[in-house]
Amino acid sequence: MKKSNEQSLGDAIRSFLKQHELTGKLAEAEVVAAWSKVLGPAIDRRTVSIRLDKTGRIYVELTSASLRNELSMQRTRLAEALNETIGREIVKDIILV
Protein backbone atom coordinates (compact mmCIF):
# COMPACT_ATOMS: atom_id res chain seq x y z
CA MET A 1 0.00 0.00 0.00
CA LYS A 2 1.26 3.51 -0.85
CA LYS A 3 1.95 6.06 1.86
CA SER A 4 -0.24 9.12 1.75
CA ASN A 5 1.61 12.32 0.98
CA GLU A 6 -1.20 14.48 2.32
CA GLN A 7 -0.78 17.09 5.01
CA SER A 8 -2.83 20.01 6.22
CA LEU A 9 -2.32 23.41 4.64
CA GLY A 10 -1.06 24.78 7.95
CA ASP A 11 1.53 22.01 8.24
CA ALA A 12 2.63 22.60 4.64
CA ILE A 13 3.07 26.32 5.26
CA ARG A 14 5.00 25.75 8.50
CA SER A 15 7.22 23.25 6.73
CA PHE A 16 7.87 25.70 3.88
CA LEU A 17 8.71 28.53 6.28
CA LYS A 18 11.08 26.34 8.28
CA GLN A 19 12.76 24.92 5.18
CA HIS A 20 13.37 28.39 3.76
CA GLU A 21 14.33 29.90 7.14
CA LEU A 22 11.49 32.43 7.09
CA THR A 23 10.01 31.78 10.53
CA GLY A 24 12.15 34.52 12.11
CA LYS A 25 11.05 37.10 9.55
CA LEU A 26 7.41 36.13 10.02
CA ALA A 27 7.73 36.52 13.79
CA GLU A 28 9.42 39.89 13.30
CA ALA A 29 6.56 41.05 11.07
CA GLU A 30 4.07 39.96 13.74
CA VAL A 31 5.96 41.97 16.38
CA VAL A 32 6.05 45.09 14.18
CA ALA A 33 2.29 44.86 13.56
CA ALA A 34 1.61 44.29 17.27
CA TRP A 35 3.82 47.27 18.23
CA SER A 36 1.70 49.58 16.08
CA LYS A 37 -1.52 48.14 17.49
CA VAL A 38 -0.48 48.17 21.17
CA LEU A 39 1.26 51.56 21.28
CA GLY A 40 -0.83 53.46 18.77
CA PRO A 41 -0.04 55.84 15.93
CA ALA A 42 1.66 58.59 17.98
CA ILE A 43 4.40 56.30 19.26
CA ASP A 44 4.49 54.36 16.00
CA ARG A 45 5.44 57.59 14.20
CA ARG A 46 8.36 58.04 16.61
CA THR A 47 9.57 54.47 16.05
CA VAL A 48 12.43 54.27 13.55
CA SER A 49 12.95 50.50 13.47
CA ILE A 50 12.10 47.26 15.25
CA ARG A 51 14.31 44.18 15.03
CA LEU A 52 13.75 40.77 16.64
CA ASP A 53 16.71 38.52 17.44
CA LYS A 54 16.66 34.74 17.84
CA THR A 55 16.50 34.93 21.65
CA GLY A 56 13.24 36.89 21.65
CA ARG A 57 14.70 40.31 22.33
CA ILE A 58 13.34 43.17 20.28
CA TYR A 59 15.47 46.22 19.59
CA VAL A 60 13.36 49.33 19.14
CA GLU A 61 14.92 52.54 17.84
CA LEU A 62 13.00 55.66 18.81
CA THR A 63 13.41 59.30 17.76
CA SER A 64 12.70 60.72 21.23
CA ALA A 65 14.91 60.31 24.31
CA SER A 66 12.05 61.24 26.64
CA LEU A 67 9.80 58.62 25.04
CA ARG A 68 12.59 56.05 25.30
CA ASN A 69 12.92 56.84 29.02
CA GLU A 70 9.16 56.60 29.58
CA LEU A 71 8.82 53.28 27.73
CA SER A 72 11.87 51.77 29.44
CA MET A 73 9.98 51.87 32.74
CA GLN A 74 7.16 49.83 31.16
CA ARG A 75 9.21 47.21 29.27
CA THR A 76 7.79 44.18 31.07
CA ARG A 77 4.19 45.32 30.64
CA LEU A 78 4.83 46.16 26.98
CA ALA A 79 6.32 42.72 26.31
CA GLU A 80 3.27 41.08 27.88
CA ALA A 81 0.89 43.25 25.85
CA LEU A 82 2.76 42.51 22.61
CA ASN A 83 2.70 38.76 23.27
CA GLU A 84 -1.00 38.89 24.14
CA THR A 85 -1.75 40.75 20.91
CA ILE A 86 0.30 38.26 18.87
CA GLY A 87 -1.29 35.30 20.64
CA ARG A 88 1.94 33.55 21.61
CA GLU A 89 5.13 34.35 23.48
CA ILE A 90 7.65 35.79 21.05
CA VAL A 91 8.93 38.86 22.92
CA LYS A 92 11.13 38.05 25.91
CA ASP A 93 12.67 41.51 26.43
CA ILE A 94 12.60 44.98 24.87
CA ILE A 95 15.80 46.96 24.29
CA LEU A 96 15.16 50.63 23.54
CA VAL A 97 17.85 52.42 21.54
Side-chain angles (χ1 to χ4, degrees):
M1 187 189 294
K2 276 186 155 182
K3 272 191 168 180
S4 175
N5 196 20
E6 293 179 20
Q7 59 182 342
S8 73
L9 181 58
D11 289 341
I13 291 171
R14 279 187 285 282
S15 175
F16 175 82
L17 292 172
K18 187 174 182 180
Q19 182 178 2
H20 295 284
E21 299 178 0
L22 298 173
T23 52
K25 291 296 180 189
L26 181 62
E28 189 170 320
E30 288 178 296
V31 169
V32 169
W35 180 267
S36 297
K37 192 176 203 178
V38 168
L39 292 155
I43 293 176
D44 194 39
R45 281 191 299 272
R46 290 173 177 80
T47 303
V48 176
S49 67
I50 300 173
R51 185 177 56 84
L52 174 70
D53 72 7
K54 292 181 181 183
T55 64
R57 276 185 243 147
I58 61 168
Y59 296 85
V60 181
E61 185 178 351
L62 300 166
T63 60
S64 168
S66 59
L67 178 60
R68 185 171 36 253
N69 186 41
E70 185 179 328
L71 293 179
S72 70
M73 292 184 276
Q74 303 175 30
R75 287 182 8 222
T76 303
R77 188 189 67 73
L78 287 174
E80 290 170 357
L82 290 169
N83 287 329
E84 184 176 320
T85 300
I86 294 166
R88 59 190 171 114
E89 189 176 336
I90 294 176
V91 179
K92 307 274 192 260
D93 193 15
I94 300 173
I95 311 297
L96 301 165
V97 294

